[in-house]
Amino acid sequence: MSRVKSDSPTAVTDVHTGSKMQRVIYVTYLIAVLDITWMFLQFSITPYLAKKLGFDTLWIGYLQTMVGVVQLLGGPIFGRFADLFGARAAMCLSCAASVVYYGLLAIADSPLMLFIHKLPAVLMHGLPGAQMVVTDLTEPDKRADALGKLGLCFGIGMVAGSTLGGTLSTRYGETFAACVAAGGSFISFLLVWTFIPKHTKIQAPQDNTDKKSNAKSVFDLGEITRLMKFPGVAKTFTVKIISGLPSGIFQVMFSVIAMNFFQLAPEQNGYLMAYFGIVSMVIQGGVIGRLTSKYSENSLLLLSIGMSSLVGLAQVFMANVFQFCFIVLPMMFSLSVFNIITDSMLTKTVPSSDTGTMLGLCASVQSLLRTIGPTIGGFLYHNYGVASFGFIQFVVNMVVFVFMLRNMVNSKDEHRE
Protein backbone atom coordinates (compact mmCIF):
# COMPACT_ATOMS: atom_id res chain seq x y z
CA MET A 1 0.00 0.00 0.00
CA SER A 2 1.55 3.28 -1.07
CA ARG A 3 1.30 6.60 0.62
CA VAL A 4 -1.29 9.03 -0.74
CA LYS A 5 0.43 12.20 -1.84
CA SER A 6 -1.59 15.35 -1.32
CA ASP A 7 0.60 18.39 -0.92
CA SER A 8 -0.75 20.12 -4.01
CA PRO A 9 -4.22 21.19 -5.19
CA THR A 10 -4.10 18.45 -7.84
CA ALA A 11 -3.40 15.87 -5.18
CA VAL A 12 -6.31 17.11 -3.05
CA THR A 13 -8.69 16.55 -5.95
CA ASP A 14 -6.98 13.20 -6.65
CA VAL A 15 -7.78 11.98 -3.14
CA HIS A 16 -11.45 12.02 -4.09
CA THR A 17 -11.00 9.53 -6.95
CA GLY A 18 -12.54 6.13 -6.30
CA SER A 19 -9.69 3.79 -5.33
CA LYS A 20 -7.61 6.33 -3.39
CA MET A 21 -10.66 7.62 -1.53
CA GLN A 22 -11.64 4.10 -0.46
CA ARG A 23 -8.07 3.34 0.60
CA VAL A 24 -7.98 6.42 2.84
CA ILE A 25 -11.38 5.59 4.32
CA TYR A 26 -10.39 1.97 5.08
CA VAL A 27 -7.14 3.07 6.76
CA THR A 28 -9.15 5.66 8.73
CA TYR A 29 -11.43 2.87 9.95
CA LEU A 30 -8.38 0.88 11.08
CA ILE A 31 -6.96 3.88 12.94
CA ALA A 32 -10.33 4.41 14.62
CA VAL A 33 -10.41 0.77 15.76
CA LEU A 34 -6.96 1.12 17.31
CA ASP A 35 -7.79 4.44 18.99
CA ILE A 36 -10.98 3.06 20.55
CA THR A 37 -9.17 -0.13 21.59
CA TRP A 38 -6.61 1.80 23.67
CA MET A 39 -9.32 4.06 25.07
CA PHE A 40 -11.42 1.16 26.36
CA LEU A 41 -8.32 -0.62 27.60
CA GLN A 42 -7.75 2.45 29.77
CA PHE A 43 -11.43 2.56 30.82
CA SER A 44 -11.21 -1.00 32.11
CA ILE A 45 -8.15 -0.38 34.33
CA THR A 46 -8.42 3.23 35.58
CA PRO A 47 -11.23 2.69 38.16
CA TYR A 48 -9.34 -0.22 39.76
CA LEU A 49 -6.04 1.67 39.75
CA ALA A 50 -7.80 4.65 41.32
CA LYS A 51 -9.28 2.42 43.99
CA LYS A 52 -5.80 1.03 44.79
CA LEU A 53 -4.57 4.62 45.20
CA GLY A 54 -7.31 5.38 47.74
CA PHE A 55 -9.99 7.02 45.54
CA ASP A 56 -13.61 6.67 46.61
CA THR A 57 -16.64 7.04 44.33
CA LEU A 58 -16.69 10.82 44.71
CA TRP A 59 -13.02 11.26 43.76
CA ILE A 60 -13.38 8.91 40.79
CA GLY A 61 -16.16 11.26 39.70
CA TYR A 62 -13.82 14.24 40.03
CA LEU A 63 -11.25 12.41 37.90
CA GLN A 64 -13.82 11.81 35.15
CA THR A 65 -14.98 15.41 35.40
CA MET A 66 -11.44 16.62 34.76
CA VAL A 67 -11.29 14.61 31.51
CA GLY A 68 -14.60 16.13 30.44
CA VAL A 69 -13.39 19.66 31.17
CA VAL A 70 -10.13 19.39 29.24
CA GLN A 71 -11.80 17.71 26.25
CA LEU A 72 -14.63 20.23 26.33
CA LEU A 73 -12.03 22.96 25.93
CA GLY A 74 -10.05 21.09 23.30
CA GLY A 75 -12.83 19.70 21.07
CA PRO A 76 -13.87 22.83 19.14
CA ILE A 77 -10.25 24.03 18.84
CA PHE A 78 -9.20 20.61 17.54
CA GLY A 79 -11.92 20.74 14.90
CA ARG A 80 -10.92 24.25 13.86
CA PHE A 81 -7.28 23.14 13.69
CA ALA A 82 -8.26 20.28 11.36
CA ASP A 83 -10.20 22.66 9.07
CA LEU A 84 -7.20 25.00 8.79
CA PHE A 85 -4.24 22.62 8.71
CA GLY A 86 -5.68 19.35 7.47
CA ALA A 87 -6.75 16.00 8.83
CA ARG A 88 -3.26 14.47 8.95
CA ALA A 89 -1.84 17.19 11.20
CA ALA A 90 -4.85 17.01 13.53
CA MET A 91 -4.85 13.23 13.83
CA CYS A 92 -1.06 13.12 14.36
CA LEU A 93 -1.52 15.63 17.18
CA SER A 94 -4.18 13.42 18.75
CA CYS A 95 -2.05 10.26 18.49
CA ALA A 96 1.00 12.01 19.99
CA ALA A 97 -1.12 13.22 22.91
CA SER A 98 -2.39 9.66 23.40
CA VAL A 99 1.17 8.32 23.68
CA VAL A 100 1.91 10.85 26.44
CA TYR A 101 -1.46 10.19 28.13
CA TYR A 102 -0.97 6.42 28.40
CA GLY A 103 2.71 6.82 29.26
CA LEU A 104 1.81 9.00 32.23
CA LEU A 105 -0.86 6.48 33.26
CA ALA A 106 1.81 3.75 33.28
CA ILE A 107 3.91 5.66 35.82
CA ALA A 108 1.01 6.99 37.91
CA ASP A 109 1.77 5.95 41.50
CA SER A 110 -0.10 8.65 43.43
CA PRO A 111 -3.46 10.47 43.27
CA LEU A 112 -1.73 13.60 41.94
CA MET A 113 -0.12 11.69 39.04
CA LEU A 114 -3.45 10.13 38.19
CA PHE A 115 -4.89 13.63 37.75
CA ILE A 116 -1.82 14.89 35.85
CA HIS A 117 -2.02 12.06 33.34
CA LYS A 118 -5.45 13.34 32.24
CA LEU A 119 -4.07 16.69 30.97
CA PRO A 120 -3.02 15.46 27.47
CA ALA A 121 -6.67 14.51 26.91
CA VAL A 122 -7.20 18.14 25.78
CA LEU A 123 -5.71 17.07 22.41
CA MET A 124 -7.02 13.48 22.29
CA HIS A 125 -9.78 13.47 19.69
CA GLY A 126 -9.06 10.39 17.60
CA LEU A 127 -12.66 9.46 16.80
CA PRO A 128 -13.70 13.03 15.83
CA GLY A 129 -10.57 13.14 13.65
CA ALA A 130 -11.65 9.95 11.89
CA GLN A 131 -15.16 11.36 11.51
CA MET A 132 -13.69 14.45 9.83
CA VAL A 133 -11.91 12.35 7.22
CA VAL A 134 -14.97 10.19 6.52
CA THR A 135 -17.23 13.26 6.34
CA ASP A 136 -14.89 14.99 3.87
CA LEU A 137 -14.71 11.95 1.59
CA THR A 138 -18.41 10.96 1.47
CA GLU A 139 -21.46 12.48 -0.18
CA PRO A 140 -24.08 14.04 2.15
CA ASP A 141 -26.73 11.42 1.31
CA LYS A 142 -24.32 8.60 2.26
CA ARG A 143 -22.84 10.31 5.31
CA ALA A 144 -25.01 8.70 7.99
CA ASP A 145 -24.23 5.24 6.64
CA ALA A 146 -20.48 6.01 6.50
CA LEU A 147 -20.52 7.36 10.06
CA GLY A 148 -22.42 4.23 11.05
CA LYS A 149 -19.59 2.10 9.64
CA LEU A 150 -17.24 4.18 11.77
CA GLY A 151 -19.50 3.26 14.66
CA LEU A 152 -18.85 -0.38 13.75
CA CYS A 153 -15.17 0.37 14.30
CA PHE A 154 -16.14 1.76 17.71
CA GLY A 155 -17.78 -1.54 18.56
CA ILE A 156 -14.75 -3.57 17.46
CA GLY A 157 -12.46 -1.35 19.52
CA MET A 158 -14.76 -1.60 22.51
CA VAL A 159 -14.69 -5.42 22.39
CA ALA A 160 -10.93 -5.62 21.84
CA GLY A 161 -10.01 -2.91 24.35
CA SER A 162 -12.29 -4.07 27.15
CA THR A 163 -11.23 -7.71 26.82
CA LEU A 164 -7.56 -6.84 26.47
CA GLY A 165 -7.63 -4.35 29.34
CA GLY A 166 -9.30 -6.75 31.75
CA THR A 167 -7.01 -9.63 30.80
CA LEU A 168 -3.73 -7.67 30.85
CA SER A 169 -4.48 -5.85 34.13
CA THR A 170 -5.49 -9.11 35.83
CA ARG A 171 -2.46 -11.09 34.68
CA TYR A 172 0.29 -8.46 34.34
CA GLY A 173 -0.96 -5.37 36.19
CA GLU A 174 -2.25 -1.93 35.24
CA THR A 175 1.23 -0.56 34.41
CA PHE A 176 1.86 -3.14 31.70
CA ALA A 177 -1.60 -2.58 30.21
CA ALA A 178 -0.99 1.19 30.04
CA CYS A 179 2.38 0.60 28.32
CA VAL A 180 0.64 -1.53 25.70
CA ALA A 181 -1.80 1.34 25.05
CA ALA A 182 1.09 3.83 24.71
CA GLY A 183 2.88 1.58 22.21
CA GLY A 184 -0.35 1.05 20.28
CA SER A 185 -0.95 4.80 20.06
CA PHE A 186 2.52 5.23 18.55
CA ILE A 187 1.60 2.68 15.88
CA SER A 188 -1.54 4.73 15.17
CA PHE A 189 0.66 7.83 14.77
CA LEU A 190 2.76 6.03 12.15
CA LEU A 191 -0.35 4.91 10.26
CA VAL A 192 -1.73 8.46 10.18
CA TRP A 193 1.56 9.94 9.01
CA THR A 194 1.98 7.31 6.29
CA PHE A 195 -1.49 6.89 4.83
CA ILE A 196 -3.72 9.88 5.64
CA PRO A 197 -3.40 12.72 3.08
CA LYS A 198 -2.45 16.17 4.25
CA HIS A 199 -5.84 17.56 3.17
CA THR A 200 -9.06 15.63 2.61
CA LYS A 201 -11.42 18.47 1.69
CA ILE A 202 -12.39 19.12 -1.92
CA GLN A 203 -11.14 22.69 -1.71
CA ALA A 204 -7.50 23.24 -2.52
CA PRO A 205 -5.36 23.77 0.56
CA GLN A 206 -4.31 27.21 1.59
CA ASP A 207 -0.84 28.45 0.75
CA ASN A 208 1.68 29.37 3.44
CA THR A 209 0.65 33.02 3.47
CA ASP A 210 -2.99 32.13 4.12
CA LYS A 211 -1.98 29.73 6.86
CA LYS A 212 0.01 32.38 8.67
CA SER A 213 -2.80 34.91 8.43
CA ASN A 214 -5.36 32.40 9.71
CA ALA A 215 -3.25 30.73 12.38
CA LYS A 216 -4.77 32.83 15.14
CA SER A 217 -8.31 31.83 14.09
CA VAL A 218 -7.73 28.36 15.57
CA PHE A 219 -8.49 29.97 18.94
CA ASP A 220 -11.08 32.42 17.58
CA LEU A 221 -14.29 31.63 19.48
CA GLY A 222 -16.24 33.82 17.09
CA GLU A 223 -15.29 31.56 14.17
CA ILE A 224 -16.40 28.54 16.17
CA THR A 225 -19.66 29.85 17.63
CA ARG A 226 -20.83 31.42 14.35
CA LEU A 227 -21.78 27.90 13.22
CA MET A 228 -24.57 27.97 15.79
CA LYS A 229 -26.28 30.65 13.69
CA PHE A 230 -26.92 28.33 10.74
CA PRO A 231 -30.59 27.23 10.43
CA GLY A 232 -31.46 24.24 12.59
CA VAL A 233 -28.07 23.98 14.30
CA ALA A 234 -29.06 25.49 17.66
CA LYS A 235 -32.20 23.34 17.88
CA THR A 236 -30.36 20.10 17.08
CA PHE A 237 -27.59 20.97 19.54
CA THR A 238 -30.12 21.67 22.27
CA VAL A 239 -31.79 18.30 21.69
CA LYS A 240 -28.38 16.60 21.62
CA ILE A 241 -27.45 18.05 25.00
CA ILE A 242 -30.76 17.71 26.85
CA SER A 243 -31.69 14.26 25.56
CA GLY A 244 -28.13 12.97 25.86
CA LEU A 245 -27.55 14.18 29.42
CA PRO A 246 -29.33 11.35 31.32
CA SER A 247 -27.71 8.56 29.32
CA GLY A 248 -24.40 10.43 29.55
CA ILE A 249 -24.65 10.44 33.35
CA PHE A 250 -25.27 6.70 33.37
CA GLN A 251 -22.30 6.08 31.05
CA VAL A 252 -19.79 8.07 33.09
CA MET A 253 -20.99 6.37 36.27
CA PHE A 254 -21.05 2.88 34.77
CA SER A 255 -17.57 1.93 36.00
CA VAL A 256 -18.75 2.68 39.54
CA ILE A 257 -22.04 0.84 38.97
CA ALA A 258 -20.21 -2.21 37.61
CA MET A 259 -17.78 -2.24 40.51
CA ASN A 260 -20.17 -1.49 43.41
CA PHE A 261 -23.73 -2.30 42.27
CA PHE A 262 -23.01 -5.33 40.04
CA GLN A 263 -19.91 -6.35 42.08
CA LEU A 264 -17.89 -7.19 38.96
CA ALA A 265 -14.16 -7.97 38.95
CA PRO A 266 -11.94 -6.27 36.31
CA GLU A 267 -12.01 -9.27 33.97
CA GLN A 268 -15.80 -9.63 34.29
CA ASN A 269 -16.22 -5.92 33.61
CA GLY A 270 -14.09 -6.36 30.49
CA TYR A 271 -16.37 -9.13 29.24
CA LEU A 272 -19.45 -6.96 29.86
CA MET A 273 -17.90 -4.08 27.91
CA ALA A 274 -17.06 -6.54 25.13
CA TYR A 275 -20.73 -7.50 25.03
CA PHE A 276 -21.57 -3.80 24.61
CA GLY A 277 -19.16 -3.71 21.69
CA ILE A 278 -20.66 -6.74 19.96
CA VAL A 279 -24.16 -5.27 20.20
CA SER A 280 -22.85 -1.92 18.94
CA MET A 281 -21.11 -3.62 15.99
CA VAL A 282 -24.29 -5.36 14.89
CA ILE A 283 -26.40 -2.21 15.20
CA GLN A 284 -24.01 0.28 13.61
CA GLY A 285 -22.61 -2.05 10.98
CA GLY A 286 -25.75 -3.85 9.88
CA VAL A 287 -28.83 -1.92 10.97
CA ILE A 288 -28.29 1.84 10.76
CA GLY A 289 -27.34 1.83 7.06
CA ARG A 290 -30.61 0.09 6.18
CA LEU A 291 -32.65 2.44 8.36
CA THR A 292 -31.13 5.62 6.87
CA SER A 293 -31.90 4.41 3.35
CA LYS A 294 -35.60 3.92 4.16
CA TYR A 295 -36.50 6.57 6.74
CA SER A 296 -35.85 10.28 7.21
CA GLU A 297 -33.29 11.46 9.74
CA ASN A 298 -35.96 13.34 11.70
CA SER A 299 -38.02 10.15 12.07
CA LEU A 300 -35.01 8.16 13.21
CA LEU A 301 -34.05 10.86 15.70
CA LEU A 302 -37.57 10.76 17.15
CA LEU A 303 -37.43 6.95 17.34
CA SER A 304 -34.10 6.99 19.21
CA ILE A 305 -35.37 9.51 21.77
CA GLY A 306 -38.58 7.56 22.38
CA MET A 307 -36.66 4.31 22.81
CA SER A 308 -34.20 6.01 25.18
CA SER A 309 -37.12 7.00 27.37
CA LEU A 310 -38.30 3.37 27.56
CA VAL A 311 -34.75 2.23 28.35
CA GLY A 312 -34.76 4.62 31.31
CA LEU A 313 -38.01 3.12 32.55
CA ALA A 314 -36.48 -0.37 32.36
CA GLN A 315 -33.42 0.80 34.33
CA VAL A 316 -35.67 1.92 37.19
CA PHE A 317 -36.60 -1.72 37.84
CA MET A 318 -33.16 -3.21 37.05
CA ALA A 319 -31.81 -5.35 39.92
CA ASN A 320 -28.83 -7.32 38.57
CA VAL A 321 -26.36 -7.59 35.70
CA PHE A 322 -28.39 -10.34 34.01
CA GLN A 323 -31.36 -7.99 33.58
CA PHE A 324 -29.02 -5.23 32.44
CA CYS A 325 -27.73 -7.43 29.61
CA PHE A 326 -31.26 -7.41 28.13
CA ILE A 327 -31.60 -3.64 28.57
CA VAL A 328 -28.30 -3.15 26.70
CA LEU A 329 -29.92 -4.11 23.37
CA PRO A 330 -32.40 -1.18 23.09
CA MET A 331 -29.97 1.07 24.98
CA MET A 332 -27.19 0.63 22.42
CA PHE A 333 -29.66 0.98 19.55
CA SER A 334 -31.02 4.29 20.82
CA LEU A 335 -27.54 5.66 21.62
CA SER A 336 -26.09 4.63 18.26
CA VAL A 337 -28.94 6.04 16.19
CA PHE A 338 -29.09 9.24 18.25
CA ASN A 339 -25.38 10.05 17.99
CA ILE A 340 -24.97 9.16 14.31
CA ILE A 341 -28.12 10.96 13.14
CA THR A 342 -27.43 14.16 15.09
CA ASP A 343 -23.81 14.27 13.85
CA SER A 344 -24.98 13.70 10.27
CA MET A 345 -27.68 16.37 10.50
CA LEU A 346 -25.27 18.94 11.95
CA THR A 347 -22.51 18.41 9.36
CA LYS A 348 -25.06 18.88 6.56
CA THR A 349 -26.11 22.30 7.85
CA VAL A 350 -22.67 23.93 7.47
CA PRO A 351 -20.30 24.44 4.48
CA SER A 352 -17.84 21.61 3.81
CA SER A 353 -14.99 23.91 4.90
CA ASP A 354 -16.43 23.95 8.44
CA THR A 355 -17.33 20.27 8.95
CA GLY A 356 -14.25 19.72 11.12
CA THR A 357 -15.21 22.52 13.47
CA MET A 358 -18.77 21.23 13.61
CA LEU A 359 -17.62 17.71 14.48
CA GLY A 360 -15.36 19.26 17.12
CA LEU A 361 -18.42 20.94 18.61
CA CYS A 362 -20.28 17.61 18.49
CA ALA A 363 -17.40 16.01 20.40
CA SER A 364 -17.53 18.85 22.92
CA VAL A 365 -21.16 17.93 23.67
CA GLN A 366 -19.98 14.50 24.84
CA SER A 367 -17.23 16.21 26.83
CA LEU A 368 -19.80 18.52 28.42
CA LEU A 369 -21.80 15.49 29.50
CA ARG A 370 -18.66 13.93 30.97
CA THR A 371 -17.91 17.20 32.75
CA ILE A 372 -21.19 17.65 34.57
CA GLY A 373 -22.19 13.97 34.55
CA PRO A 374 -19.91 12.67 37.33
CA THR A 375 -20.94 15.41 39.77
CA ILE A 376 -24.65 14.90 39.13
CA GLY A 377 -24.22 11.12 38.94
CA GLY A 378 -22.25 10.92 42.17
CA PHE A 379 -24.94 12.91 43.99
CA LEU A 380 -27.76 10.75 42.60
CA TYR A 381 -25.94 7.49 43.27
CA HIS A 382 -25.14 8.33 46.90
CA ASN A 383 -28.60 9.67 47.73
CA TYR A 384 -31.09 7.84 45.50
CA GLY A 385 -29.33 4.79 44.04
CA VAL A 386 -29.00 3.41 40.52
CA ALA A 387 -32.75 3.58 39.84
CA SER A 388 -32.61 7.40 39.88
CA PHE A 389 -30.56 7.39 36.64
CA GLY A 390 -33.29 5.50 34.83
CA PHE A 391 -36.10 7.65 36.23
CA ILE A 392 -34.48 10.90 35.07
CA GLN A 393 -33.73 9.40 31.64
CA PHE A 394 -37.36 8.33 31.28
CA VAL A 395 -38.82 11.73 32.21
CA VAL A 396 -36.37 13.93 30.27
CA ASN A 397 -36.53 11.93 27.04
CA MET A 398 -40.31 11.61 27.20
CA VAL A 399 -40.60 15.41 27.43
CA VAL A 400 -38.19 15.86 24.48
CA PHE A 401 -40.07 13.18 22.50
CA VAL A 402 -43.44 14.91 22.99
CA PHE A 403 -41.90 18.30 22.08
CA MET A 404 -40.34 16.99 18.86
CA LEU A 405 -43.43 15.01 17.87
CA ARG A 406 -45.55 18.11 18.30
CA ASN A 407 -43.14 20.13 16.14
CA MET A 408 -43.21 17.49 13.39
CA VAL A 409 -47.01 17.42 13.37
CA ASN A 410 -47.22 21.24 13.25
CA SER A 411 -44.66 21.34 10.44
CA LYS A 412 -46.68 18.88 8.36
CA ASP A 413 -49.86 20.88 8.95
CA GLU A 414 -48.13 24.06 7.75
CA HIS A 415 -46.94 22.35 4.55
CA ARG A 416 -50.48 21.16 3.83
CA GLU A 417 -51.82 24.70 4.15
Side-chain angles (χ1 to χ4, degrees), residues 227-238 346 349-350 358:
L227 299 183
M228 301 300 292
K229 298 177 182 178
F230 284 87
V233 172
K235 178 184 174 183
T236 305
F237 252 101
T238 302
L346 288 167
T349 58
V350 299
M358 178 55 73

Side-chain angles (χ1 to χ4, degrees), residues 78-302:
F78 179 85
R80 185 65 182 162
F81 181 89
D83 282 336
L84 292 176
F85 299 103
R88 185 172 68 194
M91 293 181 72
C92 280
L93 186 65
S94 176
C95 291
S98 297
V99 173
V100 177
Y101 179 90
Y102 298 123
L104 290 174
L105 178 62
I107 62 174
D109 57 358
S110 66
L112 178 61
M113 278 301 299
L114 203 58
F115 274 99
I116 291 175
H117 110 270
K118 298 294 185 183
L119 294 177
V122 70
L123 300 174
M124 289 173 59
H125 301 277
L127 186 59
Q131 289 175 324
M132 293 169 194
V133 175
V134 171
T135 298
D136 288 342
L137 298 180
T138 53
E139 298 297 327
D141 59 333
K142 298 179 180 179
R143 188 165 297 165
D145 185 33
L147 291 174
K149 295 296 188 295
L150 198 55
L152 172 62
C153 299
F154 187 94
I156 295 172
M158 184 188 295
V159 172
S162 301
T163 305
L164 191 62
T167 302
L168 290 178
S169 62
T170 300
R171 297 183 180 180
Y172 305 105
E174 288 86 359
T175 298
F176 180 80
C179 289
V180 170
S185 296
F186 182 70
I187 293 174
S188 298
F189 178 90
L190 295 178
L191 287 172
V192 171
W193 185 260
T194 305
F195 297 110
I196 301 300
K198 187 175 182 180
H199 294 275
T200 53
K201 296 185 184 296
I202 296 177
Q203 292 88 347
Q206 297 170 306
D207 59 28
N208 292 332
T209 303
D210 291 337
K211 285 181 181 178
K212 290 179 182 177
S213 64
N214 285 331
K216 293 182 180 179
S217 64
V218 172
F219 302 98
D220 187 348
L221 293 179
E223 284 294 309
I224 296 172
T225 57
R226 70 179 175 82
L227 299 183
M228 301 300 292
K229 298 177 182 178
F230 284 87
V233 172
K235 178 184 174 183
T236 305
F237 252 101
T238 302
V239 170
K240 191 175 181 71
I241 293 172
I242 295 176
S243 183
L245 178 59
S247 59
I249 293 173
F250 182 83
Q251 289 176 65
V252 297
M253 292 299 296
F254 183 74
S255 60
V256 175
I257 294 171
M259 189 165 50
N260 296 335
F261 185 72
F262 293 144
Q263 298 291 312
L264 299 181
E267 196 165 3
Q268 294 172 322
N269 185 41
Y271 292 144
L272 181 59
M273 297 300 291
Y275 170 62
F276 287 178
I278 293 171
V279 174
S280 177
M281 286 164 56
V282 173
I283 293 171
Q284 301 194 68
V287 177
I288 289 181
R290 291 184 173 90
L291 290 176
T292 55
S293 64
K294 294 181 180 180
Y295 304 100
S296 69
E297 290 184 335
N298 282 325
S299 298
L300 291 175
L301 180 58
L302 190 66

